[in-house]
Amino acid sequence: MTLKVVFATSIVVLAMPAVHVVIEAQRAAAADRGAPFQQLIDQIDSQRSTYADVAKQIWAFAEVGFQETRSSALLQQQLRAAGFSVRSGVADIPTAFVASFGSGKPVIAIVGEFDALPGLSQEPTPRRSAIVSEGAGHGCGHNLLGTAALAAAVGVKEWLAGGRTGTVRYYGTPAEEGGSGKVYMLRAGLFNDVDAVVTWHPGDRNDASPSTNLANITAKFRFHGTAAHAAFAPHQGRSALDAVEAMDYMVNMMREHVPQETRIHYIITKGGAAPNIVPDFAEAYYYARQPDMRILDGIWERIVDAAKGAALGTGTTMDYEITGAVWNILPNETLSAVMHRNLERVGGFPYTPEENVFAEELRKTLTDPPTMAIGSQEKVEPSRAGGVGSASTDLADVSWNVPTVSMTAATFVPGVPAHSWQATACAGGSIGLKGMMVAAKAMALTTADLFTEPTIIQKAKTEFDQKRGPGFVYKTRLADRKPALDYRK
Ligand SMILES: [Zn+2]
């Protein structure tokens, strides 16, 4: 591999006029001042089997939001063994932690997630086969997310330990999936002295474009009625399920009258005990998303009004609990440019013949034919500004408080969407692990650049201040509620 690169470079240099040779030499010198490429790559590669083992263990634990006891403990144990000091149980969340190494400025945070999703248990095979029926699974690849962040943090720590000043931290952030874990960690002041945040997310491509996404408010609407024999004394009953259905009906009509980027989804978590008992309790669990937090706030008020109206019209009562609330991502183009350059230095990866077969079989199970081709994981997507992803994350709240950068690596077969059993299958196999290593290296290199080139952080902060605008005050719909530790129960 090294020989190939040297050969290719010498050909290019020979073919170039003298002025280009000078520019190439300047670029090489600039690269030398940046992250120590080979040292970080070699350090991370040397621990590959450890990281593969950690990622597989977390994948098998498959613990949902705020219940990630074993996953969190395993990551903490790895960080302690690598020389980090760890504060666990921070922000009133038993599975949240902050691991720290070094001292002084800058303080760079690498963020790790590790929660699984309910109902997405799946063997690492290209056919639907749950390991635990209705069990949880890593359909968003957070087993890889948390482990790549570990690999990057340890890699940077080893390099910092060679006599550099600065602090590298690993933020163990639970319950990303609807639990808004990071919002409570922000509220507890844990990010106050952080200069920049580096992270990534599993995906079906290698991409470090600076994009935003959707703000999201989630809540459980609970209706209380009166139970009665559904045949013998229906007039004595008031159905809480009727209220849920009335609310859902009104919100479904509302879809025509909201900006089209809005996303609203719900499930009925409780709908009664038996058809011959008028349900005295029913519950609907709602998510509402929008690229603009201010517009989402207004839509949310209308959803709450629909719930109030449903209760009034069905003779029931209603209360609701906001279980999660996250902003849209504030992208930082300065940091994304650094991450994109490093992702290109790391590059994508080819599949083995067995992985190709796995990918082809898995793609046959997708409802829509994928537009991304197998092989696209070998390259890095060009960096494009202005994208709006349609998912949501509590990382967004961090991004409005500290300049933040993220990327995706191709841990999922091209075309496989997150939150699917297919994604769980990829996250538990060799393709997921290869993508994880790409992310670990790109994050480590980016973090090391932030230590070696202070101007990057200055520029990122200027951009951050400009984008937030004068007088910006960060607020969350979670207000002062305690972490919803039981939201997955
Ligand atoms: Zn995710």
Side-chain angles (χ1 to χ4, degrees):
M1 195 62 178
T2 311
L3 271 179
K4 208 167 137 195
V5 172
V6 171
F7 177 70
T9 310
S10 59
I11 292 290
V12 171
V13 172
L14 280 175
M16 278 179 180
V19 62
H20 286 133
V21 175
V22 172
I23 291 168
E24 282 301 301
Q26 284 169 343
R27 277 198 192 127
D32 284 346
R33 282 203 309 276
F37 183 80
Q38 209 54 49
Q39 184 190 338
L40 285 163
I41 299 287
D42 291 347
Q43 205 285 331
I44 292 170
D45 275 335
S46 71
Q47 301 298 310
R48 187 183 202 289
S49 62
T50 304
Y51 298 137
D53 184 55
V54 170
K56 281 184 190 163
Q57 282 194 60
I58 297 174
W59 183 85
F61 296 153
E63 296 168 303
V64 295
F66 292 134
Q67 297 168 46
E68 316 96 329
T69 316
R70 287 181 294 172
S71 309
S72 173
L74 177 58
L75 289 164
Q76 290 181 47
Q77 176 210 318
Q78 290 287 325
L79 286 155
R80 277 199 189 92
F84 284 75
S85 62
V86 182
R87 283 171 64 202
S88 54
V90 294
D92 295 327
I93 302 170
T95 50
F97 65 92
V98 180
S100 193
F101 176 83
S103 59
K105 287 278 193 179
V107 179
I108 311 297
I110 300 177
V111 162
E113 299 167 6
F114 35 81
D115 58 324
L117 283 156
L120 289 178
S121 173
Q122 168 66 28
E123 302 270 4
T125 59
R127 290 162 304 285
R128 180 64 168 132
S129 168
I131 299 170
V132 180
S133 175
E134 295 178 28
H138 272 287
C140 210
H142 293 184
N143 61 314
L144 307 171
L145 204 171
T147 309
L150 165 74
V154 173
V156 170
K157 178 254 150 186
E158 293 297 324
W159 168 74
L160 268 186
R164 291 188 169 269
T165 26
T167 306
V168 61
R169 295 203 192 124
Y170 181 111
Y171 279 67
T173 63
E176 186 278 331
E177 298 289 356
S180 306
K182 293 179 194 67
V183 180
Y184 303 106
M185 295 176 77
L186 275 167
R187 209 175 62 185
L190 296 168
F191 286 90
N192 284 0
D193 63 345
V194 176
D195 293 294
V197 169
V198 177
T199 190
W200 75 294
H201 198 284
D204 72 345
R205 64 200 70 189
N206 305 306
D207 194 341
S209 298
S211 58
T212 186
N213 63 356
L214 305 185
N216 185 13
I217 301 175
T218 76
K220 293 181 177 178
F221 290 88
R222 299 179 177 122
F223 293 90
H224 307 271
T226 308
H229 194 296
F232 178 71
H235 56 285
Q236 301 282 11
R238 295 291 181 270
S239 170
L241 178 61
D242 285 354
V244 163
E245 290 190 63
M247 176 189 177
D248 294 346
Y249 187 66
M250 280 188 271
V251 174
N252 285 332
M253 288 198 292
M254 211 178 101
R255 290 176 199 278
E256 191 184 342
H257 312 290
V258 294
Q260 64 171 352
E261 319 77 50
T262 308
R263 294 277 187 282
I264 305 173
H265 12 269
Y266 61 84
I267 56 171
I268 298 176
T269 42
K270 303 268 180 0
N276 61 351
I277 308 166
V278 173
D280 64 352
F281 181 73
E283 182 185 81
Y285 188 5
Y286 264 80
Y287 279 29
R289 314 191 202 224
Q290 231 287 332
D292 187 325
M293 193 72 204
R294 289 158 304 179
I295 296 174
L296 179 60
D297 262 336
I299 290 168
W300 187 254
E301 288 306 324
R302 291 163 68 193
I303 291 173
V304 173
D305 281 346
K308 288 177 184 166
L312 184 66
T314 55
T316 60
T317 60
M318 183 279 294
D319 53 72
Y320 70 100
E321 177 187 8
I322 292 187
T323 50
V326 300
W327 282 63
N328 58 315
I329 286 265
L330 182 68
N332 193 290
E333 292 177 35
T334 306
L335 296 179
S336 289
V338 176
M339 191 167 233
H340 176 72
R341 196 189 73 209
N342 283 311
L343 180 57
E344 282 200 316
R345 292 165 86 193
V346 175
F349 57 92
Y351 287 167
T352 62
E354 299 76 47
E355 288 165 350
N356 260 317
V357 172
F358 172 90
E360 276 162 18
E361 289 301 311
L362 195 66
R363 281 158 63 96
K364 286 179 195 161
T365 68
L366 297 174
T367 310
D368 269 352
T371 49
M372 300 276 290
I374 295 176
S376 58
Q377 83 287 346
E378 293 181 21
K379 53 175 192 159
V380 171
E381 300 298 315
S383 181
R384 297 186 199 93
V388 183
S390 43
S392 311
T393 171
D394 56 5
L395 183 71
D397 292 63
V398 176
S399 75
W400 286 90
N401 285 276
V402 186
T404 297
V405 68
S406 187
M407 55 164 270
T408 63
T411 57
F412 305 147
V413 164
V416 163
H419 294 206
S420 62
W421 66 261
Q422 292 92 337
T424 309
C426 295
S430 61
I431 290 173
L433 296 174
K434 282 182 173 176
M436 175 183 91
M437 293 299 279
V438 169
K441 290 170 186 174
M443 283 192 291
L445 293 168
T446 301
T447 306
D449 277 349
L450 299 179
F451 284 109
T452 47
E453 292 278 348
T455 52
I456 301 172
I457 293 177
Q458 286 161 16
K459 230 178 117 190
K461 281 188 173 162
T462 304
E463 180 188 336
F464 172 76
D465 289 339
Q466 277 167 357
K467 282 186 168 157
R468 290 204 316 176
F472 171 83
V473 180
Y474 165 78
K475 272 195 226 138
T476 166
R477 275 250 175 198
L478 291 177
D480 57 358
R481 71 149 298 154
K482 293 254 178 238
L485 298 179
D486 60 350
Y487 83 112
R488 284 292 190 218
K489 287 185 177 157

